[in-house]
Amino acid sequence: MASYVARQPILDRQQRPVAYELLFRHGLDNIFPDVTAEQATTKLIAEQFLNQPIHQLVGEHLCFINFPYSLLLDDLVDRLPPEKVVVEILEDATPDRPLLDKIRRLKAQGYRLALDDFTLDPGWEPFFPYIDIIKFDFRSTSHERMRQFIDLHHHHSLQYLAEKVETHQEFIQALEMGFHLFQGYFFSHPEVVQRKSLNSGQLTLMALLKEVNRDELDYERIEQLLNRDLGLSYKLLRYVNNMRYRASQPVTNFRQAAIFLGRQEMRRFVSLVTTTSVAEHKSSELYRMSLIRARFCELLALQRPVWSDPSEGFLCGLYSLLEAMLDQPIEQILDDIPLSSNIVNALVHHKGELAFYLAFIKDYETVNWSRLQKRADKLGLSEDKVSQLYMEATRWANQLLQR
């Protein structure tokens, strides 16, 4: 049986990623495969901590892991590194004496502890001195009651995490209420979709995207645009020299880089560096997601070479969050970029094979296992294979960001 694990980012007030919640299933009525909460947590720990380095999945960030009541009372938690793990106590746990004693011991061992989907049950009050984080479902809990709770418990050294924050407006509301951490995909949607002017740096980047997607690359024009931004030129040389680290003579200028990379790899590099620069003033998680999407869509296309071009899959995934990065409608952004009709149909009209790949990775991001299973069946992919592709895409993105 495959272990499907997805990462949901947890951001701070500056929208910087500080942790990931690792999710094996979405709920006992919507899971893939069909296992209990205890089996899900046990399998997740075995496969993500014991069988492979956890940093391949989350980098240097913390991991939030759900623990049912029964697993909290045994020694499974104690096998995990306290510097890496936040133990989430599930909302259906009973706040009794045995659990309190266990929580005290875990706290003494250096573990961080969180109450998941907190329901304002006063029975948890004795636990607060040992709890680090309280998570509220921002959409199902009264905002007034959450605000009152935060105001009344300011004497505790608690952090508050707002879950299911899906819009920028909800993020601002949670900020004003005193929340410290945020979970949801508010950062991956445009703050305001409207016609607005791009600054000079963004104009250069969009011009680069236009040039690099032409049928024939104009290397002189690309070099001129890169030279407007020393940071981009530096990234190009670092990228190329990392690729040829065994070579005795380093690449020192654009012309050498262009010859070494070739047309296809040059198009890929400029798209990568342009996308990360476009997202410079956004959450870094936005760019990380676009990288994972790019590689995942490329890997899906490699499974189906008759149906789609892997390089188109890569660009489609990479560009899928441009709307959020630039806070402009995707139709407007793509109006001046000569992309293939396959990519445009996927990004603008949500049609075609590439759109199916994008929907596939979005279901993985949001842990919609039931729909994901149907998509995997349609592509003829096993659970093991899909999990493998996601992990490979995540590792690739992490490695690229560490260069």
Side-chain angles (χ1 to χ4, degrees), residues 199-210:
N199 60 42
S200 59
Q202 289 174 319
L203 289 172
T204 297
L205 295 171
M206 295 308 292
L208 266 171
L209 280 182
K210 180 178 181 178

Side-chain angles (χ1 to χ4, degrees), residues 244-255:
R244 46 172 286 150
Y245 63 94
R246 292 191 181 91
S248 56
Q249 296 296 322
V251 171
T252 58
N253 59 61
F254 172 79
R255 292 292 173 176

Side-chain angles (χ1 to χ4, degrees), residues 60-73:
E60 299 305 313
H61 298 299
L62 292 170
C63 307
F64 279 59
I65 300 178
N66 294 328
F67 278 87
Y69 178 88
S70 60
L71 290 185
L72 283 167
L73 295 186

Side-chain angles (χ1 to χ4, degrees), residues 102-122:
K102 179 65 176 183
I103 294 307
R104 283 174 173 161
R105 290 196 295 272
L106 290 175
K107 185 67 175 179
Q109 292 172 246
Y111 287 96
R112 298 174 180 87
L113 299 149
L115 293 180
D116 187 32
D117 285 344
F118 186 55
T119 60
L120 300 167
D121 181 347

Side-chain angles (χ1 to χ4, degrees), residues 24 42 56 59 82 90 112 131 133 137 155 181 185 205 207 231 243 261 304 317 327 361 381:
F24 187 88
T42 303
Q56 292 183 356
L90 289 182
R112 298 174 180 87
I131 298 298
I133 298 165
D137 186 322
H155 56 286
L181 301 170
Y185 289 98
L205 295 171
M243 290 182 64
L261 290 175
R304 295 164 63 80
D327 295 321
I361 184 61
L381 298 177

Side-chain angles (χ1 to χ4, degrees), residues 12-26:
D12 64 13
R13 294 173 69 88
Q14 286 73 46
Q15 300 188 39
R16 297 173 301 202
V18 296
Y20 293 97
E21 181 172 1
L22 301 186
L23 296 169
F24 187 88
R25 83 280 184 272
H26 193 206

